[in-house]
Amino acid sequence: MQHLDEGTIHSWLDGALSADEAAQVEAHVTECPLCAAAVAEARGFIAASSRILTALDHVPRGVVPAAPAAARWYNRAAWRAAAAVLVVAVGSLVVLRNGGNNAPGFSTMEEPDSAPILTPLPPIIVQSNPSRRTPIGSPQLIAPSSEKGRVKSAASDTSVAAVQTLAAPAPAAAYSGNPLAATQRSAPARANNALTGQVAGASTEKPAAPTGNAAPRIQLRGAVSAASQATVQSPVAQVTAQEIAKERLLLKVVGSPRMLGAKVTLYEIAPGDTVTLTEPMNVPLESVVTTSAGGAVAMSAGGAQADARRSATKTAVAPPARVDAAIAGAPEVVNGVTTISWVDSATGNVLKLSGRMSAARLQEIRIRIEWERAAAKKNP
Amino acid sequence: MTDVDRLFRTYNAALVRYLTRRLGDRDWAEEVAQETFVRALRQTSIQNERAWLFAVATNLVRDEARKDMRRRKHLALLAEQERETMVEPEETTLERAQEAAIARKAVDALAERDRLALLMREEGLDYNEIAEALQLSPGSVGTTLSRARRRLVESYEALQKGREEREKNAAS
C-alpha cells in the first residue's frame, strides 16, 4: 500500500472508512513509521481544532462579534439614565396613543437628576431597516467617536439624541407598525437587549392608584414587562457571559390544535417548554359581568409582576402568585400542569394558560401574550 | 407532518452551537435556528433530518451574510476597537475573551466550505451528512476536514504567537 494522504488519514480517524479500508490503513500504519507520524500529527490537529472551536462558545449575547463583559458601553450611568427616560417616553407614548386620561403614573424615576427631561415623543416612524443585529445605540450614533472616555463625558449631550434613536426600535416592538416585528418575534427581544437591564433596574413601577381606564396601563406594563422579559437575563445586568441564565422569553407559536368550541395556541418559550393558551370561541355570559373586576385583576397582576421583577431575582416570587390567586381565581394544578385563567379585557373572554411551571411564571408569559396580541391588533 | 417538537429537542442545542460558532453571536444563532425549525414545520417529512437541518441553517446564514456583509464589517471593526480600549479587565473572562477573539479570527480565515464542514463535524455529523448538507461528494469530505483542521490550528498558533510578541514588545 502506498503512503497515506491526509484525507484518508482523517477519514480513518473519523471512522468514515469502510471496514475493509480501515483494516488496510491500520495494517499499513503499523508498518510504516512515516505514516504513523502523519497519523500522530493528524490526531494533534483534530484535538487542537476541537479545542479552538470550543473557545468560540464563550460568546455573550447581542454583540457582533464577542466583546468583553466588563467594557460594555451600555452599562454606563448616563446610558442607564437615558434608558430610564426612554421608559417614560415610551410609556407616555403608549398612554397617549390609547387616549389615556392622565399622566402615565410614573411619578418618579430612579435617577431624575442625571436624565434630561424629555417631552413625549411624536409618533415615531418605525425604522425601515431595524437590523436586529445592530446593538442599540450602535457606535455610529455617538457623535464624536466610539472611544469610551468620550462617551462618558459626552453622554449627557448625546443621551437625548441616543434616546430618540433608542426609542425607535422600542416602539417598533410595541406597535408592530413594522411588518417585520410580527414575523420576527425575537427582533424586539434583540432590539431591547441593551435596555432590558436598565428597564428592569431603572423603571419604578409603583402600582399607582387606578386613574382612567385600566387598559392603557396594562399595555404599558406589558410593553415594559415585555421589554424586560424579552431578555430577562441580558448580559447588561450581569457580570460575565457565563452567569447569564438561559431564560429568554420567545413567544413562538408551535401549534394550533383544533378543539371544539375553543381556540388553542401553543407557544414554545424554551426548548421543550410549551404553554397552551385556550380561548373559548363563544363569549360566556358570566365574563361580561366580571370585566371590570378583570380589568383590576390584570392591573394588579401587572403591578405585582413589576414588583417581582424589580427585586431582580430570576425565580418567581411567591407573593404575586398569592395576590393573583386571591383575585383572579386560584391557579389549578393538575398532574404537574399549572393553569391560570383571567378575563381578556378586550373580548371579555376567559382565557386559560397552562404549562409545566409556576403560576407566577405563567403570569409573566400571559403578560407577554397580552402585549403581543394588543400589538397585533393595532396592525392586523 | 414532521414532529418538530422532537426535532427541536434533539437538534436545537447542536444547531445553536454550530451557528454560534459560525456567526460569533448567540442571539443571531438562536434566531437562525428558530427559523430553521419553522421551515421544518412546512415539510411533510424529512429524510436525513440532521443533514437537512444543518443544510437549511447554513443556507439561511449564507443568504443573510450576503445582505449584511458591509454592516457587519463596520461593526466588527468597532467591536475590535472596543476590545482594545477595555477599561477594567476581569480575571477569567479576559483570558477567555482573548482566546475567543483569536479563535474567531482563525476560524474566519478558513474558506467557507472548510469552515462549515469542520463545524458540522464538531457537532457529530458523519461524512455522509456533511456531504449532503454541503453538496459535496462523500469522498472529498476527508480532504476538506484535514485541510480545515490543519489551517485552523496553524492560523491560531500564528495569531497567538503574534499576540505574545506584541505583549512582549509592549512590556519591554
Side-chain angles (χ1 to χ4, degrees):
Chain A
M1 188 176 185
Q2 293 157 316
H3 290 303
L4 304 166
D5 66 277
E6 252 197 344
T8 309
I9 294 178
H10 281 251
S11 302
W12 178 54
L13 291 173
D14 284 334
L17 294 181
S18 71
D20 280 342
E21 293 168 329
Q24 285 183 20
V25 169
E26 202 176 321
H28 177 82
V29 170
T30 326
E31 308 164 338
C32 174
L34 259 171
C35 290
V39 166
E41 189 192 46
R43 282 207 170 98
F45 283 137
I46 293 176
S49 55
S50 238
R51 261 198 324 271
I52 292 168
L53 292 175
T54 315
L56 292 178
D57 293 335
H58 304 292
V59 168
R61 291 170 179 276
V63 187
V64 177
R72 299 283 164 74
W73 53 267
Y74 40 71
N75 261 332
R76 301 196 178 273
W79 287 110
R80 288 170 157 267
V85 173
L86 168 65
V87 169
V88 176
V90 172
S92 314
L93 199 48
V94 174
V95 173
L96 285 176
R97 286 266 304 244
N98 288 308
N101 305 329
N102 304 310
F106 284 84
S107 47
T108 58
M109 279 180 6
E110 280 190 356
E111 299 150 56
D113 39 300
S114 49
I117 308 295
L118 258 198
T119 54
L121 299 168
I124 291 180
I125 314 278
V126 169
Q127 286 175 339
S128 58
N129 184 15
S131 165
R132 52 185 194 272
R133 269 159 251 105
T134 306
I136 291 295
S138 61
Q140 59 251 36
L141 301 173
I142 300 176
S145 76
S146 58
E147 287 170 42
K148 294 203 173 319
R150 301 260 204 106
V151 170
K152 211 180 225 167
S153 53
S156 53
D157 300 318
T158 56
S159 58
V160 175
V163 166
Q164 303 221 321
T165 329
L166 282 172
Y175 296 111
S176 298
N178 183 352
L180 278 179
T183 52
Q184 296 162 358
R185 288 183 196 283
S186 48
R190 290 216 63 236
N192 283 326
N193 250 347
L195 297 176
T196 55
Q198 277 69 286
V199 171
S203 66
T204 61
E205 299 179 88
K206 292 187 191 161
T211 53
N213 62 62
R217 196 159 299 126
I218 293 173
Q219 295 202 348
L220 171 59
R221 294 214 189 287
V224 173
S225 309
S228 51
Q229 270 302 320
T231 52
V232 172
Q233 304 305 334
S234 151
V236 172
Q238 302 295 334
V239 177
T240 66
Q242 279 65 43
E243 286 168 309
I244 299 166
K246 297 290 183 283
E247 232 180 312
R248 276 192 70 221
L249 203 55
L250 289 173
L251 276 195
K252 188 181 78 162
V253 177
V254 292
S256 298
R258 297 201 177 289
M259 203 162 95
L260 218 52
K263 179 175 163 205
V264 178
T265 318
L266 277 157
Y267 296 96
E268 180 140 58
I269 55 154
D273 246 348
T274 54
V275 295
T276 310
L277 179 70
T278 310
E279 188 176 10
M281 296 301 277
N282 312 313
V283 178
L285 290 173
E286 321 69 78
S287 68
V288 177
V289 177
T290 57
T291 299
S292 58
V297 164
M299 226 217 44
S300 20
Q305 281 309 308
D307 280 339
R309 215 163 292 110
R310 194 156 39 113
S311 64
T313 52
K314 302 170 198 175
T315 55
V317 177
R322 253 183 277 126
V323 170
D324 290 336
I327 298 176
E332 307 157 7
V333 182
V334 175
N335 287 337
V337 176
T338 309
T339 305
I340 60 168
S341 49
W342 71 96
V343 177
D344 182 34
S345 51
T347 62
N349 283 341
V350 174
L351 303 186
K352 288 182 192 286
L353 187 65
S354 319
R356 291 186 173 279
M357 55 196 68
S358 67
R361 181 118 167 86
L362 284 170
Q363 289 290 355
E364 293 179 10
I365 296 166
R366 165 206 151 179
I367 288 167
R368 176 69 200 255
I369 291 175
E370 282 185 323
W371 177 77
E372 288 213 350
R373 282 156 69 101
K377 271 202 191 72
K378 290 194 194 304
N379 291 293
Chain B
M1 167 103 161
T2 38
D3 183 0
V4 178
D5 253 15
R6 177 187 51 84
L7 277 182
F8 189 88
R9 271 195 298 272
T10 317
Y11 298 111
N12 185 57
L15 204 57
V16 169
R17 186 170 50 232
Y18 164 78
L19 288 165
T20 303
R21 291 176 174 184
R22 171 62 188 77
L23 300 171
D25 181 339
R26 190 178 300 278
D27 284 336
W28 189 7
E30 286 185 357
E31 286 175 18
V32 176
Q34 195 178 18
E35 179 60 31
T36 306
F37 287 106
V38 166
R39 295 195 179 200
L41 269 172
R42 303 185 201 144
Q43 301 293 313
T44 39
S45 73
I46 302 175
Q47 282 303 93
N48 296 323
E49 293 173 342
R50 188 159 58 176
W52 188 91
L53 288 169
F54 275 81
V56 169
T58 304
N59 289 333
L60 283 171
V61 166
R62 261 191 214 131
D63 296 341
E64 295 198 14
R66 243 178 263 133
K67 280 188 239 157
D68 290 307
M69 185 50 73
R70 241 177 313 124
R71 180 178 297 112
R72 215 186 318 293
K73 278 193 178 145
H74 177 62
L75 289 174
L77 277 174
L78 293 167
E80 181 69 56
Q81 288 175 16
E82 189 178 298
R83 267 200 295 279
E84 284 162 1
T85 58
M86 247 176 20
V87 181
E88 320 125 27
E90 280 175 323
E91 331 81 30
T92 46
T93 43
L94 170 61
E95 285 287 328
R96 239 185 241 161
Q98 283 179 334
E99 268 176 27
I102 293 186
R104 184 80 254 153
K105 279 199 187 128
V107 168
D108 287 346
L110 294 175
E112 173 78 345
R113 194 167 58 190
D114 293 0
R115 172 169 52 237
L116 295 172
L118 184 50
L119 291 178
M120 287 185 193
R121 178 68 199 149
E122 288 294 309
E123 297 306 326
L125 274 73
D126 62 45
Y127 279 34
N128 289 323
E129 289 174 316
I130 295 176
E132 187 180 319
L134 293 176
Q135 304 280 289
L136 301 174
S137 71
S140 63
V141 176
T143 323
T144 307
L145 287 176
S146 67
R147 183 176 55 236
R149 285 160 169 159
R150 170 185 287 278
R151 288 193 180 158
L152 177 65
V153 172
E154 287 173 348
S155 295
Y156 186 88
E157 285 173 353
L159 287 164
Q160 200 170 41
K161 197 158 144 205
R163 181 168 69 104
E164 282 163 11
E165 297 275 307
R166 277 200 303 278
E167 283 175 1
K168 205 168 23 155
N169 292 337
S172 60

